[in-house]
Amino acid sequence: MIGIPHCLKRKADSPLRFVARVTLALQTPCLVADGDVLADADRTFTRDVNGLPLLPGTSIAGVLRHGYDAAFAGHEDKATDALFGNAAKEEDTETAASALIVSDGVVLLADGRAAPQTAAPLEDDGDLLTVFLRRGVRRDRVRIDARGVADMRGKFDLRLVPAGTRFVFEMELLSGLDGADVARTAWHRLLGLLKSPLTRFGASTHGGLGAVETEAVHGACYWLGAGDRPAFATHSREDYLALPRRYEAAHDLPEIGNTVDPVDPAPFRRIVLKNFRPDTAWLFDGGDGQEGDNMAPMRESRVVPDGNRLGVAAPDYLIPGSSIKGALAHRTRWHLNRLRGRWMGTSPDETAERAFVWLFGTVSDRSDKRQMGGIPPRISGLLHIDDIYLECPDEGADMQAVQHVAIDRFTGGVRAGMLYRERIVKPRKAGSDVTLLLASDPLEAMRPDPPEAGIADLAEQALAAALDDLSKGRLTLGAGAGRGLGGFVCDAVEWEETA
């Protein structure tokens, strides 16, 4: 195990420079909010000078720092501070600048080149992809309260960066010759973190957003010193100075992505729902239907490769990861209470509550009287569920309009003048494999009151029962569960064994 990499502290004399230009592709929409409120959205994504999506370098560095800390801080004291810098927390602590420099992530346009970041904004030429990226995709959301149900006053709207959007950014690691081996190891770890499926950006990363895939990594090691350079520093000072600093300019950096192995912030297990598909008609409301529709399925476009260019695909049906997570959370809690023998009228069970928080996290308020002792007021869970896209035939050929009449809740009769129409989607025989990620918690011992042994086993047992219900159509998803909609099934639920 490598010792404390104090030699990575940024110095004026850092002749070794590790440089990489990384291209990321969003697998699901992403939201790194900028604080603005639009007319049709309460939160929207950060934009560059052109009004296009921007992935801030601070967000990239923050995600890398958190992942590095989770993966290695328990083995190498102060490794994260040495690499990413630190502010003086104590009187005897030295303040250090980061040895790692991370640029903003700039979006790729239709021709595959990065959007120019100049004082003159990009002209609006009517390109479909540019228009789509500036607009983003809109999602209706509702806040969940401490009891795990919808807050009646908590509706809000998000404007997200579309799935498939490509970003390019640059990283540079500075090191002295005395720390060359340590820096080289840390560099490969950082690049490996970008290839982990647990590395996600922005908000709601446990509810379907922010998943990325590393498409390309181009990089090299440069020697800026005067003496003989190390063998692995294949490029000279002149090569470094000749590097183009504008992303839209061509470069001759070699592809090194195939030499980098993924580095996971935490061990995790894959849970695969084989051939996941709708077995009954279904509806996830929130889409734009035809004229006269009051409810229509959510559909969303994505950025896709189109030959040597990037384009906008026709909208596909969307099953939000947050909707799946909500249904699984309710059913898992029921199974936890069943396994613990807690029934109606019995006192709350703290072990069941801890197991639930271990899986799904909590947003309980400190003033909540139902809060169990020792459970932090806000903590993220360890289950990751991505958004799911299902192919939509041309012009929604598999949709069907259904007329309904509202019922008077007092008389049980028909409400006059309250006819409405919903557009549902028909079931299908062919589906696709859906993967959930269940991570372990490498920093569990650092929590205020870590759960006792057996919590993880209890949580997994309850989750397995909930997934079995889902696979057999006993757990419905989406709207209209009380009138026969939302039955999904899969052929099998496969749990990947922990390595």
Side-chain angles (χ1 to χ4, degrees):
M1 188 63 66
I2 298 176
I4 302 174
H6 58 84
C7 49
L8 286 182
K9 292 181 179 179
R10 189 172 175 181
K11 304 174 182 177
D13 180 21
S14 300
L16 268 180
R17 305 294 176 94
F18 297 85
V19 177
R21 187 167 290 185
V22 183
T23 303
L24 298 178
L26 296 182
Q27 301 302 294
T28 61
C30 176
L31 175 64
V32 179
D34 65 354
D36 288 343
V37 178
L38 302 180
D40 64 342
D42 299 285
R43 300 175 68 190
T44 184
F45 52 85
T46 304
R47 303 170 189 267
D48 64 9
V49 67
N50 304 300
L52 294 166
L54 183 77
L55 189 58
T58 51
S59 295
I60 301 172
V63 169
L64 288 175
R65 179 174 187 134
H66 178 80
Y68 200 96
D69 193 53
F72 304 111
H75 308 288
E76 302 171 14
D77 187 29
K78 299 182 180 179
T80 307
D81 285 349
L83 181 59
F84 292 91
N86 66 286
K89 302 175 183 177
E90 302 174 359
E91 293 184 359
D92 58 346
T93 302
E94 181 184 355
T95 300
S98 174
L100 181 70
I101 303 172
V102 184
S103 73
D104 291 335
V106 178
V107 74
L108 298 187
L109 301 176
D111 57 4
R113 293 187 300 173
Q117 304 296 301
T118 60
L122 187 69
E123 294 184 3
D124 188 0
D125 57 359
D127 177 72
L128 181 60
L129 178 60
T130 303
V131 174
F132 180 55
L133 291 173
R134 281 179 172 150
R135 185 179 69 245
V137 294
R138 181 172 170 271
R139 295 274 185 94
D140 290 332
R141 300 290 292 270
V142 61
R143 184 173 63 241
I144 303 299
D145 66 14
R147 293 168 176 79
V149 297
D151 188 334
M152 296 300 292
R153 300 169 297 173
K155 182 185 180 301
F156 60 98
D157 305 300
L158 304 178
R159 182 68 67 176
L160 311 175
V161 182
T165 302
R166 270 72 172 171
F167 290 99
V168 60
F169 68 94
E170 196 170 277
M171 297 196 307
E172 183 173 349
L173 180 62
L174 287 64
S175 173
L177 185 59
D178 55 340
D181 292 336
V182 175
R184 190 181 182 191
T185 300
W187 182 245
H188 282 277
R189 288 174 173 177
L190 290 170
L191 296 178
L193 283 170
L194 291 171
K195 302 183 73 172
S196 171
L198 294 180
T199 298
R200 292 152 186 258
F201 295 93
S204 297
T205 55
H206 291 72
L209 303 184
V212 298
E213 180 182 26
T214 302
E215 278 202 341
V217 181
H218 296 85
C221 180
Y222 296 86
W223 173 249
L224 277 59
D228 294 336
R229 63 188 183 191
F232 57 82
T234 55
H235 291 64
S236 66
R237 178 186 181 89
E238 289 72 23
D239 297 328
Y240 179 83
L241 295 176
L243 269 177
R245 294 303 177 181
R246 297 177 63 176
Y247 293 133
E248 62 269 25
H251 63 81
D252 58 356
L253 290 171
E255 167 64 49
I256 61 172
N258 55 356
T259 66
V260 177
D261 295 324
V263 174
D264 299 315
F268 67 92
R269 300 177 69 183
R270 286 186 172 88
I271 308 171
V272 183
L273 309 181
K274 306 294 290 186
N275 194 26
F276 180 75
R277 62 197 184 276
D279 191 48
T280 67
W282 57 280
L283 171 65
F284 286 86
D285 183 30
D288 298 324
Q290 300 179 13
E291 184 178 357
D293 290 341
N294 300 97
M295 301 173 66
M298 296 181 66
R299 293 190 291 175
E300 200 169 88
S301 295
R302 291 173 285 174
V303 180
V304 295
D306 185 11
N308 295 326
R309 297 175 61 84
L310 295 175
V312 182
D316 287 326
Y317 295 123
L318 170 67
I319 302 178
S322 56
S323 297
I324 303 174
K325 183 180 179 181
L328 280 177
H330 280 275
R331 186 58 59 91
T332 301
R333 187 187 287 275
W334 185 88
H335 281 295
L336 283 169
N337 290 329
R338 175 183 61 84
L339 293 170
R340 295 288 298 173
R342 177 176 177 257
W343 312 109
M344 185 70 70
T346 59
S347 59
D349 185 82
E350 184 172 339
T351 300
E353 187 68 17
R354 288 179 176 273
F356 180 83
V357 170
W358 187 86
L359 277 176
F360 295 98
T362 179
V363 293
S364 61
D365 184 69
R366 292 183 183 275
S367 61
D368 183 11
K369 297 180 180 180
R370 298 175 64 255
Q371 181 179 335
M372 298 292 180
I375 297 178
R378 182 179 293 273
I379 192 170
S380 60
L382 300 176
L383 184 66
H384 297 262
I385 305 174
D386 291 343
D387 292 344
I388 301 173
Y389 292 91
L390 299 180
E391 182 180 358
C392 177
D394 293 340
E395 299 181 359
D398 60 346
M399 288 193 287
Q400 177 183 350
V402 179
Q403 304 284 355
H404 291 282
V405 177
I407 302 299
D408 190 302
R409 66 176 63 186
F410 297 105
T411 66
V414 175
R415 294 182 62 187
M418 295 299 292
L419 178 71
Y420 67 96
R421 185 172 72 187
E422 66 180 9
R423 194 164 293 273
I424 62 176
V425 187
K426 300 176 183 177
R428 58 182 65 182
K429 296 181 179 180
S432 59
D433 293 350
V434 173
T435 301
L436 286 63
L437 302 180
L438 179 60
S440 63
D441 188 356
L443 302 181
E444 187 173 281
M446 299 171 62
R447 292 184 172 182
D449 188 3
E452 60 271 19
I455 290 293
D457 293 338
L458 175 64
E460 290 188 13
Q461 187 178 355
L463 177 61
L467 290 173
D468 183 66
D469 290 342
L470 178 63
S471 69
K472 293 179 171 58
R474 297 193 296 261
L475 175 60
T476 57
L477 303 176
R483 52 181 184 271
L485 303 182
F488 285 76
V489 297
C490 65
D491 294 341
V493 179
E494 297 184 355
W495 289 66
E496 180 188 75
E497 293 300 324
T498 305

